[in-house]
Amino acid sequence: QAHLVESGGGVVQAGGSLNLSCTASGFTFDDYAMGWFRQVPGKEREGISCIRWNSENTYYSNSVKGRFTISRDNAKNTLYLQMNALDSKDTGMYYCGAATSCNDFYQLVDNQRGILNYRGQGTQVTVSS
């Protein structure tokens, strides 16, 4: 059975940093592009970053570009998101997900009813000002 488990969330002061991890099991991790999206209750999901299966290309939303860095270690079946210069607007539940391509990842996330190939249960990030 496929699982994605996020970790690393927490409470941090504005300007601080967090490093999220997403560990995969039960499927072939490097067959998929992997991404992070976030959601705040009452608001739509926002795809914030995606990385191709071989790490050759990474993509970021304008809201996190220059502050967040996505990476993956296929040998460890793990996806990462290094988040720096955090702001209260970054508060939300952060999820990792798998898709056949980053284009599909963003399309599925942006379509609020879209279903990714796999997704985790999320980790909460709270940035206090």
Side-chain angles (χ1 to χ4, degrees), residues 31-120:
D31 276 352
Y32 294 89
M34 296 294 299
W36 293 93
F37 66 98
R38 64 189 180 189
Q39 189 163 24
V40 176
K43 294 189 177 180
E44 294 190 340
R45 302 189 302 197
E46 178 190 9
I48 57 175
S49 187
C50 188
I51 185 169
R52 289 188 67 196
W53 70 274
N54 57 2
S55 302
E56 279 192 354
N57 297 92
T58 57
Y59 306 91
Y60 300 93
S61 65
N62 288 334
S63 60
V64 306
K65 194 175 297 182
R67 301 186 298 122
F68 291 10
T69 302
I70 191 171
S71 62
R72 64 189 294 166
D73 185 338
N74 288 344
K76 295 182 178 180
N77 288 349
T78 302
L79 175 73
Y80 303 98
L81 186 68
Q82 176 65 43
M83 305 188 297
N84 299 326
L86 285 162
D87 181 85
S88 58
K89 295 178 182 178
D90 296 313
T91 293
M93 187 69 80
Y94 283 67
Y95 301 87
C96 63
T100 54
S101 69
C102 281
N103 190 52
D104 282 352
F105 175 82
Y106 282 111
Q107 286 188 348
L108 288 168
V109 170
D110 288 347
N111 175 352
Q112 301 300 308
R113 298 180 181 178
I115 300 175
L116 293 162
N117 293 83
Y118 306 104
R119 57 165 283 181

